[in-house]
Amino acid sequence: MPRPRKWRKVCSLPGSTRFGPLNTPIDHEHYVIMTVDEYETIRLIDLEGFTQEECSKQMNIARTTVQGIYNDARKKIAESLVKGKILRIEGGDYKLCDGIEKPCMGGFRRHRCRRGFLEDNHF
């Protein structure tokens, strides 16, 4: 029996779930599917500037797992750009965080996750 997959904590869902060229036919062979947890690693590492270790703590998974998810996500973005495929974000093994403030990165900083920030500021 395989080991059950661990849920990845995600604090921000994408505002749009489909990106890509406007002139691409809408059929399954012109799509690249990115999971929500892959999207979260891209958001945390490339946009928010987290290290892979910080990202792993935020998502509550191992750093090596983050590294694999991140590499898969970047390949999918590259395939979408280079081959002109539509990138769809959907699915994955994730749970949306509750947005409650907690210690981060060894307790030196305190922050609210993006979900808590967005809800507090009504974005």
Side-chain angles (χ1 to χ4, degrees), residues 38-57:
E38 289 171 336
Y39 163 83
E40 181 75 345
T41 61
I42 293 292
R43 183 185 75 78
L44 291 173
I45 295 170
D46 291 338
L47 184 64
E48 301 293 335
F50 281 34
T51 64
Q52 288 183 6
E53 186 173 343
E54 292 168 335
C55 180
S56 73
K57 288 177 184 175

Side-chain angles (χ1 to χ4, degrees), residues 5 8 33-53 55-56 59 61-79 87:
R5 293 186 66 151
R8 288 89 191 252
I33 307 296
M34 175 182 282
T35 62
V36 173
D37 49 324
E38 289 171 336
Y39 163 83
E40 181 75 345
T41 61
I42 293 292
R43 183 185 75 78
L44 291 173
I45 295 170
D46 291 338
L47 184 64
E48 301 293 335
F50 281 34
T51 64
Q52 288 183 6
E53 186 173 343
C55 180
S56 73
M59 294 181 70
I61 54 177
R63 188 204 53 80
T64 53
T65 303
V66 165
Q67 185 177 24
I69 293 169
Y70 181 65
N71 288 338
D72 291 346
R74 290 188 62 159
K75 285 179 185 176
K76 290 175 182 182
I77 291 169
E79 183 178 356
L87 179 68

Side-chain angles (χ1 to χ4, degrees), residues 12-38:
S12 180
L13 294 175
S16 296
T17 59
R18 198 168 57 169
F19 303 90
L22 300 175
N23 61 350
T24 300
I26 300 179
D27 60 37
H28 291 291
E29 75 182 51
H30 291 96
Y31 278 105
V32 176
I33 307 296
M34 175 182 282
T35 62
V36 173
D37 49 324
E38 289 171 336

Side-chain angles (χ1 to χ4, degrees), residues 7-13 36 40 43-44 57-60 94-102 111-119:
W7 293 99
R8 288 89 191 252
K9 185 176 81 169
V10 170
C11 290
S12 180
L13 294 175
V36 173
E40 181 75 345
R43 183 185 75 78
L44 291 173
K57 288 177 184 175
Q58 178 71 24
M59 294 181 70
N60 198 30
Y94 72 95
K95 286 188 180 181
L96 203 54
C97 71
D98 57 12
I100 295 174
E101 188 173 2
K102 66 176 197 170
H111 80 290
R112 282 186 168 259
C113 73
R114 185 164 175 83
R115 181 168 180 218
F117 175 79
L118 293 175
E119 289 172 355

